[in-house]
Amino acid sequence: MYGTAGSYPSDQYPSERENYPSGKEEKKHKLKNLKDNKVVKAKIKYYTHKKNEFAIISCPSNPTQGAYTWIVANSKHTSPSFSIPGTVVLAGGLNVRYTAKYNDRRNKWEGREFKNDKLHKFRQVGCVHGATQSFVQH
C-alpha cells in the first residue's frame, strides 16, 4: 500500500504529451501548501482527463535515506498517528505520489485517506519527512 497512486485508476495518468497545461494556461483550482513547520512543500502537476481535473501530488526526496515520506492534506479530522492537527495522511512511502480529483460541486479537491480509505475533501497539501529509516529492503 505504500506509495499508492491515490484513489483513481492508473489509466487516468496522462502520457508525457497528453493533457498537461502549457505554461501560458491558467488553472483555476490550484491546491495550496499547508503551513506548518513540520510540512515540506509538495510538488503538484495538474491535468485534465475526460473533463475532470486531477492533481498529481509528489514530494521532494527525504533527507534521511530510507525513511518514509507522507503526503498530508487539511481536513476536519486528524490522522491519529500524526501530530499535525487538522490533517489526514493520503499516502506514504519512499517515493510517494498521490492523485487527487477536483469536485466541482463542492469546490474542493478530494481523495481517500491512507489508513481507512475514507473520502476527504481538502484545499491544502504538503509532505512530512519521517526521521527513522524503514525496514524495507531496496
Side-chain angles (χ1 to χ4, degrees), residues 79 88-90 111-120:
S79 292
V88 293
V89 176
L90 298 176
R112 300 211 172 261
E113 185 177 354
F114 178 77
K115 183 180 177 190
N116 61 14
D117 205 34
K118 184 177 177 184
L119 186 66
H120 289 274

Side-chain angles (χ1 to χ4, degrees), residues 34 36 38 73-79 82-88:
L34 281 169
D36 188 280
K38 296 178 186 175
N74 67 316
S75 176
K76 293 178 184 176
H77 307 282
T78 299
S79 292
F82 271 74
S83 60
I84 302 172
T87 64
V88 293

